[in-house]
Amino acid sequence: MKMAALCSEFGDLVQIKKQLISVISLCKERGLLHSAKWASELAFALDRLPKDELPPSPPFTEDDAQDLDALTLAKSYFDLKEYDRAAYFLKGCCSQKAYFLYMYSRYLSGEKKKDDETVDSLGPLEKGQVRNEALRELRVELSKKHIAGELDGFTLYLYGVVLRKLDLLKEAVEVFVEAIHSLPLHWGAWLELSNLVTNIEMLKSLSLPDCWIKDFFMAHMYTELQMIKEALQKYQNLIEAGFSKSTYIISQIAVAYHNIRDIDQALALFNELREQDPYRIDNMDTFSNLLYVKSMKPELSYLAHNLVEIDKYRVETCCVIGNYYSLRSQHEKAALYFQRALKLNPRCLGAWTLMGHEYMEMKNTSAAIQAYRHAIEVNKRDYRAWYGLGQTYEILKMPFYCLYYYRKAHQLRPNDSRMLVALGESYEKLSQQVEAKKCYWRAYSVGDVEKMALLKLAKLHEQLNESDDAAQCYMLYIQDIFSCGEQLEHAEVSTALRYLGQYYFKNKLYDEASLCAQRCCDYNDAREEGKALLRQISQVRDQIETPSADLFAPLSNNNTPVRRVSPLNLISFTP
Amino acid sequence: MASVHESLYFNPMMTNGVVHANVFGIKDWVTPYKISVLALLYDMTATKITLPERRRLNKLILPLQQGPDLTLGQFLKTVEECCPQAAYAVKLRLHEMADGELKDMEYFFSTLPTPFTAFDSEAYKTSVVGLFMRHMLLAYNKLSFSQVYKLYKSLQHYYHSHYAKPADGQAGLPALAADDSDMDLTSTEDTVGDRMDKEELDGPLHESELRNDNNPSRGPLSQKQAEYFLARQAYLLKNDENKALKPAALQEELNNMLKFNPDFAEAHYLNYLNSMRVQDIFLSAHSLLHYFDRLILSGNEGKSNGDEGYGRSLRYAALNLASLHCRFGHYQQADLALQEAIRIAQESNDHVCLQHCLVKLFPSSDPLTSCRCSSRMDGWFIMPQLIPPHLFYLASLGIQSLVQQGATQGKTAHKLMDALKDTDILHWKHSLSELIEISLAQTTSIWRMYGKSTMALQQAQLLLNMSSLEPVNFGVQQNNTEAFAVALCHLAELHAEQGGYKHRLGLLSLSEILLHLKEQFPPHSQHAKLWMLCDLKIQFERHMNEGKYHLAEPLVTAISALNKTEGLYRKAQVLKALNRSTEAYSILQRLQAHCEKTKCTEVVIRVMLSTAELHWESSGFSTALPLLLQALALARQHHLQSLASESILHLAFTQLMLGVPEQALSVLHEAIEPVLAHGSVMDKGRALLLTARCQMAVAGFRPNGHGRADLHLAVLAVDTLKEATAYFSKLSCKERLRDVHFLQAQLHHALGQTSQRNKSAMLFRLLDQELQSPAPPVSMRL
């Protein structure tokens, strides 16, 4: 039932397939390779069409016929990256297709020259001055046509790109929306638009065409804006609607899981993705991040070798190798590979941050700071870079200074416990206990990843002689540790048990105290104390039993049963 | 798609993950300007120039080599002033290159005298000129083919852009003028776009962009130019904010600069300063941290703890952060940051930084901190001579802050002055103009506090007339420090006390001083609050004296915004004047308790006096006495002369009211001298009025005009009253004038001088009509 409803919502899958096939050919003709690739991937995921169902090729107009020779020639030049030559032969052509290719080659030629110029700049300040000289002329010509209403979907897209490159972002958004309305199936325009949308309000205010592709866009946007739950829901809907075989969607879901640190789910999806598409390189850097977090050395090594065989000069490959070396603690080599990734694409955000981490490992703080700063320059919303900067200053023993950076990171990821714990630690170092307590408690409330917040909170309470609160925190901590099931290396259950034992002993709750003391004996570092406590308890019990029982009654009344958590439920867990 | 275009991108500047601004490690780059300088040098060595001209040119060489890039017009003009012949030669040579071909430029470089061959010329390898030439040759030889081509292009542009505009040097070279039409075509390639823009897109959409493109100064600056710009603006911001660019304009410039070169860290620092001007804490904190993140990169030459290296910038980063928080009034945050800076400085043995840190502790207006450090400084207070030489700056500041503390806590005056004198010797010895200024301002404040207005006036004038010891850059003297603000405020208040509201001969009027303050310290700047409070206080006093209480009342709110204690005190005064005694009393009580806690002796005394006045109103003269005596004792203990004399006046008045005018008169004799010497016009008038009344009482006058009087004393009283009239009329204090005229009329009546009596009576009547409010019994106020 649900399936049917979704199908109707998405129209006929056959219809979608037809649309995709036609847009693929359109994009190909215009040299828009990435959009063509995206559409082809999606089309591949849908069922094959019978021969007679295949969409007819678009009508061949008089203009097209006229430009046919020039266009064919220019397209071949274009494909060989001889942009100026292509533009030269296209000059004066009147068909829409030729016009787009003409403008696009001019644009790309300008971009290419700009990049070549950077090498030959005449001084440090001139480096920043290098710009695509063609942009301004393109804008003038395109805007003229735009006002006259002569632009089709593709040229509108190009106009938008030009505007964006000229930093006229507001106009660019308008033009992209227009481009999308005129040609909804061109994924490149959607993607460009997504780069310009900065928040959810802006997203909601856009008027977008009601097309099945909009769902893909929304899902993409939700991922970008860190609204993972909504994104996953969207992708789930898309899968149910019949795109279950699409590698694009699988990879996107995997990335989304990665973003919310649901590592196992993400790993499973990536493995599935690699089975379906073994020569895929896109998104493999994310995959390697996951493997790194899980310390899965053999898998990471296999992935790295595999990718090198496919193409070693890809940003993703370099990142994977960097991660691989990092996991093997060969940080110099790791940094080298991240640098290589950055040489391939200096705007690759992940590599800057990862390189920062490597420099941190090498204790080269200044280089780390620079790397993080670059990452922030590329994307101001990169919380990992802000966090990394904070860590760097923390290592330099500047707890107050790093507060600013942690705060920034926290602002970007309000529900990430790591930033909160880091903030708390800094406050603790500055002896601002009240703030530190707030941070730790909040970290616990949002779901502590590293299970450290409660322990730290408890120790803080212990320092401040707030024994009730401390005991409660230790209690929660022990429950937390045992309920998560797996062994954590830094777990300090023994500390907690030791404190609890003493606490109950002081409050004359001997049963609970002895229980804690017994559990203490399970741990090497607390065994002696546990035994000592047990002895004390038995001593005290002997003393109590000899005098009359009325001494015991007021004592038990004195205790605050409200604050106390019964330790009995510990029995169900085994350490 | 974004990735399509950017995959082409390759950044060769990056080695080892670090983007070096400077690929070959060359500091100098060949620019068209440098080529012109080279041409000049070449011509100087090659041609014969007369001796005076050569001397002038020689003087020019260093600034030209080291200065920022000039436009061709500026350059030629400078050279022409020294030697027209050389300018012409340079112009000709540039013309040859720019209008010729690439080979002409290459030829020029190859003909340059190699510094290794020319032994006897100026271009010998170790000379300044030779060094520069070698630099340039090296830099030129390292250029790749396309870079050489680009250099040539920019040379052409440089040359032609000079002639594109009507230039002053054009007449000197008529042959070239003919070529201008050709040049236009070749040179203005990128302005073609502009023109099209203007024609096609006059729509409102792109106005901002167009404006940027059309403004010639918008263009990217060269490194030197940018540095010069930043240095200049930073200097102006520090010394005379009004001369610097407006915050918005400066911000735009900086954004422009950062757009072209994101690695230019200093721009971030200026950004920080600029944001501080407009009190934007978010942006300023962001820029500050960004700057130091950047700085840490540029200074990472291995040593992490030494004087150089990034350990140093870390300390200063923390220190700057502290000052930022301090500026925005986050004292706790500032304290934390400062502790951090101090800790790092201590760990790395950097006493200079440590000194800066501790210095920072002093002026922080947080009473807690300053208290703590002055106790730390106590040891040094005793023996300033023994301070190690590198710490004298710190020591002087410490002493100064201690003096401040000591002054408020009633240390003896000679001790304070001694300490100040000792530090002054130190300052003059080391020419620390900043500290000298502070010291002078402090002395002014102390004299004012003690009530010696003449001394205060003298010290303030001394500071304001002192020429700074600092070198004067950009035609601006540093005179926007706190010290200047304080001195000027004192000056304004002193003027106000003397009734100098209006312009008088030879003296600055009050309004002029305030206007100057407003200009020098714009309302958003750091020390603006000083003059704001001062201005408000003066206005308040003036309205109160003139009896316009309804005008004074709204000022109270403004004063409390700037200074709560002062505001409360003023509020009580207004309430008292409006006869709302109960409210006034409760406020005064609260204020007294608060001030006794914070040890604000001055305010405590003033509050006591006001309370005593409240007692008078309920005729509780005997209850006022102990209060007044207490106030007098306090004032004497703290050497606050003006307040002491004020207390004596109150005391005398009380005694007069209690019916012991002889006693009152003898007490008054003690106070009348300092009041006349140092007191404000108002005080003088009041003192004289009181004296006259005492004299009248002693002479045996009764308020109802009956009884026999001692005529000799009465004549004296007439004189005193006449003097008082002069003072009161200066302040146009009509209520008191009315009282005076009333008393005058009585006296004249008793003395039998009818015409004068009638005159006084008429004046009284006129004033009484004007004031409308029923005259309170003369007896009831001081």
Side-chain angles (χ1 to χ4, degrees), chain A residues 2 4 48 58 65 105 145 151 154 173 189 232 240 260 278 290 334 401 409 414 446 466 486 526 528 547 555 561:
Chain A
K2 198 179 175 192
R48 197 167 56 83
S105 348
K145 288 226 172 195
L151 296 182
F154 287 110
V173 170
L232 285 175
E240 280 167 16
I260 51 166
L290 291 168
Y401 208 76
V446 296
E466 298 164 339
E486 51 191 308
E528 289 309 314
L555 275 177

Side-chain angles (χ1 to χ4, degrees), chain A residues 363-573:
Chain A
K363 302 271 178 284
N364 186 352
T365 41
S366 65
I369 289 172
Q370 173 157 26
Y372 288 133
R373 262 290 166 195
H374 273 287
I376 290 168
E377 226 147 76
V378 178
N379 183 359
K380 264 188 210 153
R381 287 148 40 82
D382 183 28
Y383 67 93
R384 284 168 306 169
W386 285 113
Y387 182 68
L389 271 175
Q391 275 184 318
T392 320
Y393 282 108
E394 200 177 337
I395 284 180
L396 290 167
K397 291 195 206 145
M398 298 170 76
F400 181 75
Y401 208 76
C402 70
L403 270 184
Y404 177 84
Y405 298 104
Y406 282 143
R407 270 196 219 122
K408 275 268 179 197
H410 172 61
Q411 220 173 351
L412 294 167
R413 297 266 295 190
N415 288 330
D416 197 320
S417 67
R418 289 168 297 170
M419 282 80 189
L420 281 162
V421 171
L423 263 177
E425 280 173 355
S426 308
Y427 276 124
E428 209 180 324
K429 277 183 201 143
L430 294 168
S431 32
Q432 309 248 306
Q433 276 92 355
V434 185
E435 278 84 358
K437 271 195 268 185
K438 279 184 209 158
C439 288
Y440 289 142
W441 184 249
R442 174 95 190 128
Y444 168 67
S445 319
V446 296
D448 191 6
V449 191
E450 286 160 333
K451 311 274 176 216
M452 287 295 285
L454 272 175
L455 186 67
K456 286 181 185 295
L457 185 61
K459 283 184 178 164
L460 203 59
H461 281 304
E462 199 181 325
Q463 269 176 26
L464 295 171
N465 287 328
E466 298 164 339
S467 53
D468 289 340
D469 291 324
Q472 202 176 21
C473 288
Y474 276 128
M475 207 60 242
L476 283 172
Y477 174 66
I478 291 171
Q479 285 174 359
D480 210 27
I481 289 290
F482 286 128
S483 64
C484 85
E486 51 191 308
Q487 270 296 353
L488 291 164
E489 283 172 23
H490 52 71
E492 290 192 57
V493 182
S494 57
T495 324
L497 281 171
R498 202 155 42 183
Y499 184 82
L500 278 176
Q502 294 290 350
Y503 171 75
Y504 287 127
F505 181 70
K506 261 182 219 149
N507 285 329
K508 311 221 161 47
L509 293 165
Y510 298 113
D511 291 337
E512 286 89 340
S514 70
L515 186 63
C516 287
Q518 277 162 14
R519 303 302 293 258
C520 263
C521 297
D522 296 340
Y523 298 90
N524 283 333
D525 51 343
R527 186 165 297 146
E528 289 309 314
E529 284 184 45
K531 281 178 184 165
L533 187 61
L534 277 177
R535 269 197 300 280
Q536 273 181 310
I537 292 169
S538 60
Q539 259 177 18
V540 175
R541 275 193 174 147
D542 289 345
Q543 282 172 8
I544 289 170
E545 271 163 27
T546 37
S548 59
D550 54 15
L551 226 168
F552 193 70
L555 275 177
S556 51
N557 284 339
N558 267 347
N559 294 317
T560 47
V562 190
R563 308 224 68 160
R564 202 181 78 212
V565 185
S566 165
L568 292 176
N569 49 5
L570 268 184
I571 294 165
S572 56
F573 304 115

Side-chain angles (χ1 to χ4, degrees), chain A residues 137-149:
Chain A
E137 290 167 37
L138 285 178
R139 197 196 85 195
V140 173
E141 286 177 37
L142 283 169
S143 72
K144 231 188 296 179
K145 288 226 172 195
H146 183 225
I147 291 164

Side-chain angles (χ1 to χ4, degrees), chain A residues 120 139 157 365 393 397 400, chain B residues 1 146 209 293 310 343:
Chain A
D120 285 337
R139 197 196 85 195
Y157 157 73
T365 41
Y393 282 108
K397 291 195 206 145
F400 181 75
Chain B
M1 264 182 223
S146 55
E209 204 212 358
D293 283 347
Y310 82 101
R343 189 176 43 71

Side-chain angles (χ1 to χ4, degrees), chain A residues 32-36 38 81 83 104 107-108 111-112 114-115 117-131 133 136-137 139-141 143-144 147 157 159 161 163-168 171 174 187-188 191-192 195 339 342-347 352 355 359 363-367 369-371 373-374 377 380 386 389 393 396-405 407-408 430 432 435, chain B residues 1-22 29-31 143-144 146-148 150-152 154 189-191 193-194 196-197 200-201 205-206 208-210 213 220-224 226 257 259-264 268 282 285-294 296-297 300 310 314-315 317-318 321-322 325 332-334 336-338 340 343-344 347:
Chain A
L32 293 165
L33 305 176
H34 282 255
S35 293
W38 184 82
K81 294 199 164 50
Y83 301 120
Y104 192 44
Y107 168 72
L108 281 184
E111 285 293 300
K112 185 162 176 284
K114 183 184 91 179
D115 293 337
E117 285 285 286
T118 348
V119 187
D120 285 337
S121 70
L122 273 177
L125 260 174
E126 211 172 59
K127 191 184 66 186
Q129 298 168 26
V130 180
R131 48 184 175 181
E133 292 298 337
R136 221 187 297 148
E137 290 167 37
R139 197 196 85 195
V140 173
E141 286 177 37
S143 72
K144 231 188 296 179
I147 291 164
Y157 157 73
Y159 184 37
V161 170
L163 287 176
R164 187 176 75 84
K165 286 271 170 181
L166 286 170
D167 283 332
L168 300 167
E171 292 86 339
E174 285 164 19
W187 180 240
L191 215 54
E192 283 287 347
N195 284 333
Q339 273 167 30
L342 288 171
K343 277 189 183 167
L344 291 168
N345 179 6
R347 300 191 61 78
W352 277 120
M355 196 162 78
Y359 280 123
K363 302 271 178 284
N364 186 352
T365 41
S366 65
I369 289 172
Q370 173 157 26
R373 262 290 166 195
H374 273 287
E377 226 147 76
K380 264 188 210 153
W386 285 113
L389 271 175
Y393 282 108
L396 290 167
K397 291 195 206 145
M398 298 170 76
F400 181 75
Y401 208 76
C402 70
L403 270 184
Y404 177 84
Y405 298 104
R407 270 196 219 122
K408 275 268 179 197
L430 294 168
Q432 309 248 306
E435 278 84 358
Chain B
M1 264 182 223
S3 55
V4 186
H5 322 305
E6 274 145 14
S7 59
L8 294 164
Y9 206 94
F10 173 73
N11 191 347
M13 303 290 185
M14 207 175 59
T15 49
N16 197 21
V18 174
V19 176
H20 290 297
N22 201 326
W29 290 84
V30 190
T31 61
L143 294 182
S144 69
S146 55
Q147 281 172 323
V148 172
K150 249 185 102 174
L151 177 65
Y152 182 66
S154 59
E189 244 171 1
D190 54 339
T191 52
D194 277 12
M196 284 170 80
D197 275 354
E200 316 291 343
L201 292 170
L205 213 63
H206 307 295
S208 61
E209 204 212 358
L210 278 178
D213 285 348
L221 303 159
S222 76
Q223 178 104 25
K224 279 265 177 64
M257 197 178 285
K259 199 170 113 197
F260 284 118
N261 189 353
D263 300 336
F264 209 58
H268 287 293
F282 291 106
H286 180 79
S287 308
L288 180 70
L289 295 177
H290 199 149
Y291 169 67
F292 277 105
D293 283 347
R294 288 280 175 192
I296 285 162
L297 322 171
N300 57 351
Y310 82 101
L314 281 183
R315 302 191 275 281
L321 195 63
H325 281 300
Q332 199 202 358
Q333 310 266 321
L336 288 172
L338 206 52
E340 201 158 286
R343 189 176 43 71
I344 306 173
E347 276 170 11

